Amino acid sequence: MAPSKKGGARRPSPARKGQLLTAAKRQGRRFAAHLRETFWEHKTHWLIVFAIIGVLGYLGHFLQQHDGLLGARYRMFRVLQNPWPRPLVYRDTVTVLIDDEAFWNDAEGRRPLKRDYLADLLRKVSAANPAVIGLDVRLPSPNPSGAVKTPASDKRVLLEIKTYAAETEKLLQTVDELTTKCDIVLVETLKRAGKTEVPQQSRGTGTQHGAAQAHTGRPRYERVADVYDEYGIKNPRISFAYEFLYPDRRRIPPRLLLVDGLEVDSFALAAARFYRPDLVQSKDWTQARFGSFIARSPETEISAHALMSASETEFAKIADKLKHKIVFIGGDWHESPSRSGRKVDPHLTPVGEIPGVVLHANYVEAILDDRTFDIPAREKLLMAVDIALGLLLAYVLFVQFRPPWLKVPVAAAVIGLPALACLLLMQYFAIYWDVVIMDALLIGHVAIERMAGGDAGTV
């Protein structure tokens, strides 16, 4: 076309537009006729293709939903993740682990965990000026039906037995005082409404953030007594959060609906909400969302024993890592004094077995880095993409190209690009996409037909 006076390309005339539209319609009719001919002349082949796609689509959905196969899928994640660089890092969280030295020596190996030790640990962490502290320790009440007057003041009471009253009050006073420096997330114990015991997966629960609207079909929960319930901690910089976990650890626990109509955050959500309230509020957290995982990093895991016994110089180095971060404190000691055998809070995940407190850090990193997504929407999208890619590959493998050499790069692109997408999804979202298995079966099906002397259409 001749250039216009303004230097741009001249727009096509109405007549030219009509010609282009007519040509496009003609090509569309020819291709539609080609597809009909390809299908009806080779119905058996395409019925087998549809069966492969349908069975694998169902199988992929079954594997995603079957909790008993999670261990095998997690191992597959690690096999595919290890040879490849994963630039995901812990940016906003650090974990302080109550390890064997801290628990068996510093805290004297006592259960319940010494509350005055926790108070001292909280003060030490707060001296590093973190933005948020999350104490991943449950404080259920051993005396829910009676109140004990606190040693420091007769005006306040604890749902605690006298043996631990003084140290429990020290912990709660410390928490209240430290809110002048940072936000704090504590664990609150919940149970499913109508049940008499705390669910097996439960390790506590959380804080109120406003009344829930009508959420039909959502289960309701009720609070179980904790030692601080009657103490009177009502500080906006303290959030009480729950810690129920899904069997599939990739699912970030959502907000739960209480019997009184209020909602409560999960432990990770509460910490993320303090840190980036705008980001958390931008998504619907009433349903579980999938989150990605980051491999454990020694740089972001600090021994509580090392922290408490650090010299001034050593503490300054540790404080640089904690400053302005979300710092989670949680257990990682062995259940046996011999420092062997099972640990107190292990969780199998796509990056191996990790302590629960590190699991919560993973959730927070996924939330703050916007690496979470809606589960049902993701399943529907992948199923639609599975079907489209399966049909496309089956078509490319079946028909004859002109020139013939064109089939190889086209087939390689149809196979290679989804395979790369599978790897990226595995790396960044811990999603196992079954399209590679579908590709292998379709290739095998076409190869068998070719060896049996089958023919093909031409494109």
Side-chain angles (χ1 to χ4, degrees):
M1 297 182 184
S4 67
K5 293 182 180 180
K6 294 183 179 180
R10 182 179 300 169
R11 293 182 179 181
S13 65
R16 180 58 177 165
K17 287 183 179 179
Q19 293 174 355
L20 293 174
L21 182 60
T22 300
K25 289 181 178 180
R26 187 183 304 115
Q27 290 295 332
R29 286 194 295 269
R30 288 178 59 187
F31 188 69
H34 162 72
L35 290 180
R36 287 195 298 270
E37 178 183 351
T38 301
F39 175 77
W40 289 112
E41 291 187 3
H42 309 278
K43 290 190 291 294
T44 302
H45 168 84
W46 289 105
L47 290 175
I48 294 175
V49 167
F50 295 150
I52 291 174
I53 294 174
V55 169
L56 283 180
Y58 172 79
L59 182 61
H61 176 75
F62 173 78
L63 291 175
Q64 287 286 357
Q65 300 298 323
H66 197 287
D67 293 338
L69 299 174
L70 284 174
R73 295 180 76 85
Y74 289 168
R75 285 191 292 273
M76 178 64 72
F77 296 152
R78 292 197 294 278
V79 167
L80 295 180
Q81 286 173 349
N82 289 339
W84 299 86
R86 300 185 72 238
L88 299 179
V89 295
Y90 292 90
R91 299 186 308 173
D92 301 308
T93 63
V94 178
T95 54
V96 174
L97 298 175
I98 304 175
D99 52 13
D100 287 318
E101 288 297 316
F103 178 73
W104 291 107
N105 293 341
D106 303 343
E108 301 175 4
R110 199 200 72 188
R111 296 205 186 187
L113 188 59
K114 292 187 67 175
R115 279 73 185 269
D116 47 0
Y117 168 76
L118 290 175
D120 294 338
L121 182 58
L122 283 172
R123 288 190 182 278
K124 194 74 171 182
V125 170
S126 69
N129 295 317
V132 182
I133 298 177
L135 183 60
D136 184 19
V137 177
R138 288 183 58 207
L139 300 170
S141 172
N143 189 33
S145 60
V148 175
K149 290 186 178 180
T150 62
S153 172
D154 289 341
K155 295 181 180 180
R156 308 187 81 170
V157 295
L158 296 167
L159 296 182
E160 178 67 284
I161 58 177
K162 291 183 179 181
T163 306
Y164 307 130
E167 62 183 73
T168 299
E169 183 177 24
K170 178 182 177 181
L171 172 61
L172 298 183
Q173 286 179 336
T174 300
V175 168
D176 217 6
E177 292 170 8
L178 294 183
T179 54
T180 60
K181 304 177 66 175
C182 63
D183 299 308
I184 297 178
V185 181
L186 297 179
V187 171
E188 181 180 42
T189 310
L190 298 184
K191 69 176 181 180
R192 184 78 171 266
K195 294 187 177 181
T196 58
E197 73 282 346
V198 178
Q200 186 177 1
Q201 290 294 333
S202 169
R203 294 182 295 143
T205 56
T207 173
Q208 302 175 7
H209 289 289
Q213 298 177 358
H215 296 282
T216 58
R218 290 176 63 189
R220 291 179 180 252
Y221 293 81
E222 57 186 341
R223 293 183 171 88
V224 178
D226 290 300
V227 294
Y228 47 72
D229 285 345
E230 301 298 327
Y231 189 73
I233 295 183
K234 295 182 179 179
N235 191 314
R237 300 196 69 177
I238 299 176
S239 179
F240 299 93
Y242 81 92
E243 291 184 306
F244 298 161
L245 296 172
Y246 283 86
D248 186 347
R249 297 298 193 251
R250 294 173 298 172
R251 297 182 179 226
I252 300 176
R255 300 186 71 172
L256 294 184
L257 183 62
L258 302 178
V259 292
D260 58 7
L262 299 179
E263 289 184 336
V264 58
D265 274 340
S266 65
F267 194 68
L269 268 176
R273 188 183 298 276
F274 271 141
Y275 200 70
R276 288 283 307 277
D278 55 331
L279 184 61
V280 174
Q281 292 169 3
S282 67
K283 292 187 177 181
D284 177 17
W285 291 101
T286 59
Q287 300 295 328
R289 303 177 70 89
F290 254 55
S292 58
F293 277 80
I294 309 173
R296 295 183 68 175
S297 169
E299 291 298 314
T300 58
E301 295 182 11
I302 298 170
S303 162
H305 174 76
L307 175 63
M308 295 295 285
S309 59
S311 65
E312 185 174 341
T313 302
E314 292 169 337
F315 178 76
K317 294 180 180 178
I318 295 175
D320 286 339
K321 297 181 179 181
L322 306 184
K323 188 176 182 180
H324 306 319
K325 298 290 184 68
I326 299 174
V327 180
F328 286 126
I329 302 173
D332 189 35
W333 67 85
H334 287 89
E335 293 181 341
S336 169
S338 64
R339 279 69 160 172
S340 61
R342 184 177 174 82
K343 289 193 172 183
V344 291
D345 192 25
H347 296 274
L348 185 62
T349 73
V351 292
E353 191 170 83
I354 62 177
V357 66
V358 179
L359 178 62
H360 292 300
N362 260 287
Y363 290 154
V364 170
E365 293 290 347
I367 294 169
L368 296 180
D369 200 25
D370 204 20
R371 288 182 278 106
T372 67
F373 53 92
D374 180 76
I375 297 170
R378 194 275 312 168
E379 290 179 346
K380 293 177 181 177
L381 176 62
L382 281 187
M383 185 172 293
V385 174
D386 274 344
I387 295 172
L389 287 175
L391 291 174
L392 178 60
L393 178 61
Y395 174 78
V396 170
L397 293 174
F398 183 72
V399 300
Q400 295 179 355
F401 280 70
R402 290 180 180 172
W405 60 264
L406 189 59
K407 173 178 284 194
V408 175
V410 173
V414 174
I415 295 172
L417 293 178
L420 178 61
C422 288
L423 180 61
L424 294 177
L425 288 174
M426 187 85 68
Q427 292 277 319
Y428 294 100
F429 291 102
I431 297 175
Y432 185 72
W433 189 15
D434 304 293
V435 70
V436 175
I437 300 176
M438 182 183 297
D439 289 349
L441 290 180
L442 290 173
I443 292 173
H445 168 55
V446 172
I448 291 172
E449 278 200 340
R450 289 289 184 271
M451 288 187 292
D455 57 351
T458 303
V459 66

